[in-house]
């Protein structure tokens, strides 16, 4: 062992989905105490009981990301990553292990592991208690919060990007970039109904976490195909021509042209929370223009969601929300003034 290592062989287990700052702190803590680490990584079948399990990265990708981080942090560490299909894994039977990293939440499982070790005539593992890392909102950084779109992998609240000013303004040099297609484009067909039908086929073949539409025509076209978005953001205009409005509009928020105003962003964020909790369908009505609200709609959406908007003379754009897409959108938002 090195001078720093206190144990011969440490165990740690988890899902390590969307490897985040909390995971990294836990892994560094374990690594700093040993020269040999066995990491039990939950299998794809094991995580099916978790919320939004379809947004959890596959086992092989999680394994690759964890291994890369550990090898970068301590290249000479003896590392074994094993599939974990129950709470025990090799920790219940491996004689050379002498410690296991636990959190306040996993402590009971560690006691069960030690009970199993006793039944197997093995010494109990020393419990190394680790305090979970918190984000900028002083809440624990969790993969579930990332999957729900609440925080990024560093524990920063996604909505905080829009909280510093009452509104963010689109700079002229960025206008052309925003004309780029950020997702899959469904080409315009002879009628809007046919285009909407093509969109419906895509969405029903692999159901997303949530379906979000930005724009009146996209919303109404999906409704015509008996597909109601979980969240619709509309302004009752089509190419700046006014459309007929209902007499009473709940959830009205003003958003200026060429801007992202804070209030509707907060409304989108709160709507996502309600939808996830209550499984409701919601509409946010915008006084002004809703176009640029597609950006916070993507950035705040739960992973695995699809944000849909129209692109003039081209068709309908489907943006599948993943961490890569969020980073791309965040970089754009950082350039607003």
């Amino acid at each position: 062992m090195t001078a720093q290592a206190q144990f011969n062989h440490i165990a740690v287990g988890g899902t390590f989905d969307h490897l985040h700052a909390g995971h990294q702190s836990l892994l560094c803590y374990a690594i700093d105490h040993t020269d040999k680490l066995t990491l039990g990584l939950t299998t794809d079948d094991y995580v099916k009981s978790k919320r939004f399990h379809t947004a959890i990265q596959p086992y092989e990708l999680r394994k690759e990301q964890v291994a890369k981080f550990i090898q970068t942090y301590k290249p000479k560490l003896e590392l074994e990553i094993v599939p974990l299909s129950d709470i025990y894994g090799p920790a219940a039977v491996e004689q050379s292990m002498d410690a296991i990293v636990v959190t306040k939440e996993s402590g009971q499982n560690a006691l069960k592991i030690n009970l199993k070790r006793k039944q197997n005539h093995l010494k109990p593992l020393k419990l190394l208690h680790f305090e979970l890392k918190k984000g900028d909102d002083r809440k624990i950084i969790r993969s579930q919060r990332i999957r729900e779109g609440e925080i990024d992998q560093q524990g920063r609240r996604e909505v905080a990007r829009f909280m510093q000013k009452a509104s963010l303004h689109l700079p002229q040099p960025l206008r052309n970039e925003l004309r780029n297609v950020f997702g899959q484009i469904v080409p315009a067909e002879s009628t809007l109904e046919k285009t909407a039908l093509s969109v419906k086929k895509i969405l029903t073949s692999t159901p997303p976490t949530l379906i979000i539409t930005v724009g009146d025509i996209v919303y109404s076209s999906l409704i015509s195909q008996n597909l109601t978005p979980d969240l619709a953001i509309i302004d009752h205009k089509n190419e700046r021509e006014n459309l007929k409005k209902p007499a009473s509009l709940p959830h009205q928020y003003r958003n200026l042209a060429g801007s992202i105003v804070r209030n509707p962003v907060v409304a989108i964020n709160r709507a996502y929370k309600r939808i996830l909790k209550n499984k409701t369908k919601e509409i946010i009505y915008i006084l002004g223009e809703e176009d640029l609200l597609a950006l916070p709609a993507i950035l705040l959406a739960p992973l695995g969601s699809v944000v849909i908007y129209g692109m003039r003379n081209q068709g309908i754009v489907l943006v599948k929300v993943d961490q890569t897409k969020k980073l791309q959108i965040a970089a754009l938002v950082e350039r607003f003034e």
Side-chain angles (χ1 to χ4, degrees), residues 257-305:
S259 300
I260 300 175
V261 177
R262 180 169 55 201
N263 287 346
V265 173
V266 172
I268 292 169
N269 193 52
R270 289 175 177 170
Y272 284 148
K273 293 180 184 297
R274 289 192 299 269
I275 292 166
L276 292 176
K277 181 179 179 180
N278 304 320
K279 302 186 184 304
T280 55
K281 308 282 188 181
E282 297 205 16
I283 300 176
I284 292 177
Y285 296 93
I286 300 300
L287 303 174
E289 291 186 16
E290 91 287 83
D291 302 30
L292 288 177
L293 294 178
L295 299 180
I298 295 168
L299 199 52
L300 303 177
L303 297 178
S305 298

Side-chain angles (χ1 to χ4, degrees), residues 5 23 34 47 102 126 132 145 169 174 185 187 235 248 283:
H23 291 143
T34 189
V47 301
V102 300
K126 173 73 174 178
L132 292 169
R145 296 182 68 201
H169 303 286
L174 196 55
I185 188 162
D235 64 4
S248 176
I283 300 176

